[in-house]
Amino acid sequence: MKPMISRTEVEAAWGLIRPHVRRTPVIELVAGSLGVTEPLALKLESLQVSGTFKGRGAFHKLLASKVPAAGIIAASGGNHGAAAAYAARALGHKAEIFVPTIASPAKVARLRSYGAIVHQIGAVYAEARAASEARAAETGALMVPAYEDEVVFAGAGSVALEFAEQAEFDTLLIAVGGGGLIAGCAAAIGASKKIVAVETEGTPTLHEALKAGKPVDVAISGIAADALGASRIGTPNFEVARRLVRCSVLVTDEVVRETQRALWDELRIVAEPAGATGLAALRAGAYRPAPGERVATLICGANTDPGSVA
């Protein structure tokens, strides 16, 4: 079996992408803030290029690859596509992005604003992905996978290295879709920090895989389906997660929505549902810190209509 990605690969990715991505800010809150019992650090990756952490992985894939004249193709619930389109435009490449019909209008509009050709195909991500792969085979364009690619998730993991420089924490809660972010972060800091996976009840991809001991297909639904809606965890992602992720918890759509509103009401931060999912686990008690445990989470995306959370 191929060796699992490690901190070394994540550090190398960070060095390559650093000129192209933002060092996003961290807010440190006292115990009791946002309904969390212990002191809390929030990293606002929602302020990253293209609006989510996905910019890190997209830039790494394009910078580490030979991009053909046909450009790049990606399938996405919206966020990865926006990141791939942004990176392609910045580096002078063509981009075609395939998204399912459930992708939010805000995300589709952002894709088009970056100059990408956008195809809305299929009810769920898996159908958009199949269409994108067929198109890549036809054109010869470079596929930029949303998560099941170690080059992509090594770039994503750079956020954990950056966060650990900015704040002291014992435990990092991470929202999970296809598993790219949590795999990259676990590879980066999982040997020294407790990594907790958080998913909605409608998108329990990693949760079910950990129960089964292998990736399995999962029916996807609910508030975060456009961003956390991979129906099966990526295989290399799962291999990292099952070794380095300490536990996996689920939250309801209702508590995610309440968390979005709390972020707006208390901090004037706009977060999409997936971006608020890690914090939702703390607010709902799905993960309960021990006394004195220093907890942290990522506000990992902001691609939503601001009016939906105000």
Side-chain angles (χ1 to χ4, degrees):
M1 180 181 293
K2 182 181 177 182
M4 191 172 64
I5 187 174
S6 70
R7 181 184 178 101
T8 300
E9 286 80 19
V10 179
E11 288 176 338
W14 193 19
L16 191 60
I17 69 174
R18 196 188 295 260
H20 303 279
V21 299
R22 296 175 186 147
R23 185 176 177 87
T24 54
V26 168
I27 296 177
E28 297 194 61
L29 303 171
V30 299
S33 300
L34 291 170
V36 179
T37 59
E38 303 302 318
L40 171 67
L42 298 177
K43 184 161 177 60
L44 304 187
E45 196 65 3
S46 50
L47 299 179
Q48 188 52 262
V49 295
S50 78
T52 74
F53 75 92
K54 294 280 191 178
R56 296 173 183 265
F59 266 111
H60 191 224
K61 182 66 174 180
L62 269 62
L63 290 166
S65 305
K66 183 176 181 180
V67 180
I72 66 105
I73 286 178
S76 169
N79 285 337
H80 172 68
Y86 180 96
R89 185 182 69 174
L91 298 174
H93 304 302
K94 300 174 185 176
E96 288 188 59
I97 310 298
F98 289 71
V99 298
T101 56
I102 62 170
S104 75
K107 292 178 181 178
V108 173
R110 174 157 279 197
L111 283 168
R112 293 196 169 114
S113 77
Y114 294 147
I117 297 171
V118 181
H119 306 276
Q120 283 193 271
I121 295 177
V124 294
Y125 166 76
E127 294 174 0
R129 176 177 172 175
S132 73
E133 290 170 346
R135 177 64 174 164
E138 174 188 336
T139 65
L142 174 71
M143 277 297 300
V144 182
Y147 55 86
E148 197 171 8
D149 185 300
E150 293 183 358
V151 176
V152 171
F153 68 69
S158 66
V159 69
L161 297 178
E162 188 174 283
F163 200 173
E165 284 187 353
Q166 294 169 299
E168 292 289 334
F169 56 87
D170 304 304
T171 302
L172 178 61
L173 287 87
I174 302 174
V176 180
L181 178 61
I182 199 163
C185 290
I189 64 170
S192 59
K193 309 288 185 184
K194 183 178 183 180
I195 305 294
V196 176
V198 186
E199 296 165 290
T200 67
E201 291 180 347
T203 59
T205 311
L206 177 59
H207 193 80
E208 293 301 312
L210 290 171
K211 283 169 57 177
K214 62 182 180 180
V216 293
D217 290 328
V218 175
I220 297 301
S221 64
I223 193 172
D226 66 335
L228 304 183
S231 58
R232 188 182 183 94
I233 197 79
T235 298
N237 318 53
F238 175 73
E239 291 303 320
V240 176
R242 72 172 178 171
R243 299 184 200 184
L244 292 172
V245 172
R246 302 284 188 88
C247 65
S248 169
V249 300
L250 301 178
V251 294
T252 65
D253 283 357
E254 181 182 14
V255 76
V256 170
R257 180 63 78 193
E258 290 172 351
T259 300
Q260 288 181 279
R261 293 188 181 122
L263 281 165
W264 175 253
D265 289 343
E266 297 190 34
L267 299 176
R268 285 301 188 257
I269 291 172
V270 173
E272 63 184 275
T277 295
L279 177 59
L282 291 167
R283 286 173 50 82
Y287 179 78
R288 297 183 184 276
E293 182 178 351
R294 297 168 299 179
V295 292
T297 192
L298 304 169
I299 306 301
C300 53
N303 288 332
T304 190
D305 177 1
S308 69
V309 299

